[in-house]
Amino acid sequence: MKKDDTEVASYILMNLATWIYGTIFQCDRLLAIQADQNNDRQTSVIEEEFVVISARKLVRWVNEANKQKLIPQEAFQGILGLAAVIRDVRDMREHADDYVVRKEGKKQSEFWHHSTTRAGLTYSSDATATIVFSGAYLIGGRLSVQLVLEATKAARQEFNAFVLASEQF
C-alpha cells in the first residue's frame, strides 16, 4: 500500500471504530434514560436522534470500508441487515418538515408504519414517534434500539478481531 492509500485506509477504519463506539454509547445512553422513569420525553427525543445519526454513520463507514476492500465482504452483516430501516428512519426524521408539514417526503407512503407484535398487538407509528412496549424500544415504530445495539456489539467484536489479525495496521 502506498502512503496515501494507507492514510485513507487508516482514516476510514478510524471512522468505523468511532461510529461503532458512538452507536453503542448512544444506544446504551438511550436505554438508560428510558429505564429512568424520572426523565422527560424531550430528553429521549434528543437521544433518539443521536442513536439514529450514529447508526447511519456506522453503516456509511462500513459500506466505505467494504468498497475499499478494507474488511471482509461478509463482515458486519448484523448492522448491514438493518441498514435500510436505519437510513429510512434517519432520513424521515431529518426531513420531518417535508413529511409532516408539506406532505412531500421522498418516501411519503412509508412514513407511517403499521405492524403487529408476536403477542398480537397491532400498532401504527409515524417515523418521528416512538413505541416502547414489552422491553422493546422502537424508534419510528420500526427501528429497534436493542437490535441496533446487539448488531453493533457484534460489529465491535468483528472489528477488533480484524484489527488484531491485520498486518496492515
Side-chain angles (χ1 to χ4, degrees), residues 17 32 41 54 68 72 75 91 95 97 107-108 110 120 129 141 148 150 152-153 160 163 167:
R41 179 69 185 125
S54 63
Q68 300 295 325
D91 290 352
H95 302 284
D97 55 332
K107 292 190 171 187
Q108 190 70 37
E110 297 173 36
V148 171
E150 179 183 312
T152 306
K153 285 181 175 180
N160 289 343
V163 170
E167 294 179 14

Side-chain angles (χ1 to χ4, degrees), residues 13-167:
L13 293 174
M14 178 196 69
N15 274 283
L16 181 53
T18 297
W19 292 108
I20 288 170
Y21 170 79
T23 303
I24 291 169
F25 177 83
Q26 287 304 144
C27 288
D28 282 340
R29 185 175 164 104
L30 179 58
L31 293 173
I33 288 168
Q34 189 266 331
D36 180 359
Q37 300 298 318
N38 294 320
N39 277 308
D40 61 59
R41 179 69 185 125
Q42 296 293 7
T43 302
S44 295
V45 170
I46 293 164
E47 294 299 331
E48 288 168 12
E49 290 299 310
F50 296 145
V51 167
V52 173
I53 291 166
S54 63
R56 179 64 180 127
K57 285 184 165 286
L58 172 56
V59 168
R60 289 178 63 99
W61 287 108
V62 168
N63 287 334
E64 191 59 43
N66 273 328
K67 285 180 204 168
Q68 300 295 325
K69 298 182 180 7
L70 297 173
I71 57 176
Q73 204 65 26
E74 66 277 0
F76 303 101
Q77 291 305 304
I79 198 69
L80 290 175
L82 299 170
V85 71
I86 289 169
R87 181 195 61 239
D88 288 349
V89 170
R90 202 285 311 169
D91 290 352
M92 289 176 188
R93 283 177 156 239
E94 180 72 18
H95 302 284
D97 55 332
D98 290 331
Y99 285 90
V100 177
V101 177
R102 289 178 277 292
K103 309 279 192 244
E104 297 175 353
K106 289 181 183 177
K107 292 190 171 187
Q108 190 70 37
S109 65
E110 297 173 36
F111 186 67
W112 278 91
H113 178 75
H114 311 282
S115 189
T116 303
T117 68
R118 286 180 229 161
L121 173 68
T122 300
Y123 68 91
S124 296
S125 170
D126 72 39
T128 65
T130 298
I131 303 288
V132 179
F133 62 91
S134 300
Y137 195 116
L138 303 173
I139 299 175
R142 63 200 92 179
L143 180 61
S144 168
V145 176
Q146 288 88 347
L147 287 180
V148 171
L149 181 58
E150 179 183 312
T152 306
K153 285 181 175 180
R156 178 179 60 190
Q157 289 179 325
E158 289 179 272
F159 182 81
N160 289 343
F162 166 73
V163 170
L164 285 174
S166 176
E167 294 179 14

